[in-house]
Amino acid sequence: MSDAKAAESAALPSTSRAERPATIYDVARLAGVSHQTVSRHLKGFAGIRPETRERVERALESLEYRPNMTARTLATNRSHRVGALTHEISQVGPSKIMQGASAAAREAGYLLDIVSLDVEDADAVQQALTLITQQDIAGLIAFSSTDVMTDAFVSREFLVPTLIEVEDDDLVGGHPTSLNFRGFRAVVDHLVGLGHTRFFHIAGPPGWVSARNRELSYERALAEHGLTSFGTAHGDWSSASGFAAAEQISAALGVTAIVVSNDQMALGAMLSLKRRGIRVPDDVSVAGFDDIPEAAYFQPPLTTVRLDFDTQGRASFHRLLRLIEGPSASPPPPLTIELMVRESTSRPPR
């Protein structure tokens, strides 16, 4: 080999940092410590000097270090993959809940394998359940919103720690204490405070526990003010179904406030009202639920209840983690709601 070619060859590293993930040896070199110290820090051992721990943490962040899951599984003889069963992933709520669960899993050193199920195909559901239970996973979260999915999950035997996430059915369990009830109470309190007494509800599909709970929460929130609903129409969470449901509201009812079980249906309802020459909020106030990212940009911007879907997903994963690792695992974060008052609600017309 010529001297020029030898020099050129020497100048080219066999493996660049950009082409491979950082190892604990890279972290150790950057922090100026032994790789054993980095390993002890990653495992949470006490006894490392604060200044040393700080150098290691800075190096981990600088190199964007991520644990090697394969090596970790071999060393501990335990999988660090978690299965997640869900459905209707195209809906905003389920999608953002899964994002929160996935983020929490990564932060805890796990990978979340997401399987979306088709609730209309019973055979496909059973095939998916069989497939996921054959995998080497540390645990399983089954997210369910419908009676069909809950029945499928409950009737199946799982051999790993499993968390079935389904809302308690308030029709069965008595007085609602869920975020739904707190949310609808906030909406109704807001509208009654503006002077509304004639309400109509656009509800979700009856086969969804959350839809039934939201409908019941709406009715009980009205009852606290001595009011009753002037009617309910059911949609399927889509904007098209909200449009169709609003078509069922007769002008003869004199409704001045429409409370909708999710923001997409509220969007369709507002378009229906506009095409009928009914102004929002001058003639009728409209409020939604969920606070999807687009809600603030509806015309007019939508008053709605913000649910922290990210925190819901994180809380679900932390509950599963306590089943996998025991009560020493971090507790789930608290869930919150917030009423977002925007321009779709105002005082009723005289």
Side-chain angles (χ1 to χ4, degrees):
M1 179 184 293
S2 68
D3 292 342
K5 287 188 176 180
E8 181 182 356
S9 176
L12 295 174
S14 58
T15 305
S16 72
R17 270 283 300 117
E19 294 174 345
R20 65 173 176 84
T23 68
I24 63 171
Y25 298 97
D26 297 321
V27 175
R29 279 193 294 272
L30 184 58
V33 299
S34 68
H35 71 274
Q36 291 93 338
T37 298
V38 176
S39 178
R40 286 170 60 84
H41 171 76
L42 291 172
K43 293 176 181 176
F45 279 88
I48 301 176
R49 293 176 181 175
E51 59 270 22
T52 302
R53 188 181 300 277
E54 185 177 347
R55 291 206 310 273
V56 172
E57 288 177 349
R58 284 202 303 266
L60 289 168
E61 182 177 356
S62 175
L63 295 175
E64 298 182 352
Y65 173 81
R66 296 292 181 269
N68 184 323
M69 290 301 170
T70 302
R72 186 175 173 187
T73 298
L74 290 173
T76 62
N77 196 28
R78 181 161 65 96
S79 173
H80 285 82
R81 293 170 56 224
V82 169
L85 300 172
T86 187
H87 57 104
E88 300 291 345
I89 199 70
S90 61
Q91 295 288 340
V92 173
S95 174
K96 289 192 172 295
I97 287 172
M98 295 309 304
Q99 290 176 21
S102 183
R106 288 195 305 272
E107 292 164 5
Y110 287 79
L111 293 176
L112 197 70
D113 292 337
I114 301 172
V115 178
S116 182
L117 306 176
D118 180 1
V119 296
E120 303 300 328
D121 188 339
D123 290 339
V125 169
Q126 292 304 323
Q127 289 173 8
L129 292 176
T130 299
L131 179 63
I132 196 69
T133 54
Q134 290 174 347
Q135 304 303 308
D136 181 19
I137 55 176
L140 182 67
I141 311 176
F143 293 93
S144 178
S145 299
T146 72
D147 297 334
V148 172
M149 293 311 305
T150 300
D151 291 343
F153 293 153
V154 171
S155 64
R156 191 84 179 200
E157 182 178 355
F158 299 105
L159 301 180
V160 296
T162 300
L163 178 71
I164 299 178
E165 281 288 45
V166 58
E167 283 188 39
D168 292 332
D169 194 331
D170 291 335
L171 287 172
V172 176
H175 189 74
T177 58
S178 66
L179 294 178
N180 289 321
F181 181 59
R182 289 161 50 192
F184 276 96
R185 173 188 277 167
V187 168
V188 171
D189 286 352
H190 165 66
L191 290 167
V192 170
L194 290 173
H196 292 276
T197 59
R198 304 176 75 85
F199 287 76
F200 192 93
H201 182 47
I202 297 179
W208 288 59
V209 176
S210 59
R212 295 198 298 269
N213 285 347
R214 291 182 181 189
E215 185 175 353
L216 182 62
S217 296
Y218 158 79
E219 292 169 349
R220 288 184 172 172
L222 283 181
E224 288 187 350
H225 291 279
L227 301 172
T228 57
S229 180
F230 277 70
T232 295
H234 291 89
D236 62 8
W237 303 122
S238 70
S239 298
S241 71
F243 184 99
E247 296 286 289
Q248 301 177 38
I249 305 174
S250 170
L253 293 175
V255 169
T256 65
I258 301 174
V259 179
V260 191
S261 270
N262 80 331
D263 294 343
Q264 287 100 328
M265 290 194 299
L267 174 62
M270 289 197 294
L271 178 60
S272 171
L273 295 172
K274 181 179 179 179
R275 290 189 174 175
R276 292 165 60 189
I278 300 171
R279 299 167 299 169
V280 177
D282 297 347
D283 301 320
V284 174
S285 289
V286 176
F289 210 92
D290 290 344
D291 193 31
I292 64 175
E294 298 81 9
Y297 302 95
F298 287 4
Q299 183 56 42
L302 183 66
T303 292
T304 185
V305 174
R306 173 176 292 172
L307 290 182
D308 191 346
F309 291 117
D310 179 82
T311 298
Q312 287 189 45
R314 289 174 176 273
S316 294
F317 178 79
H318 281 285
R319 281 192 286 273
L320 176 65
L321 192 60
R322 290 167 78 86
L323 296 178
I324 296 171
E325 298 186 351
S328 60
S330 59
L335 302 180
T336 61
I337 64 159
E338 182 180 3
L339 178 65
M340 310 302 296
V341 178
R342 300 193 179 107
E343 298 166 33
S344 67
T345 53
S346 67
R347 298 187 63 82
R350 294 181 180 178

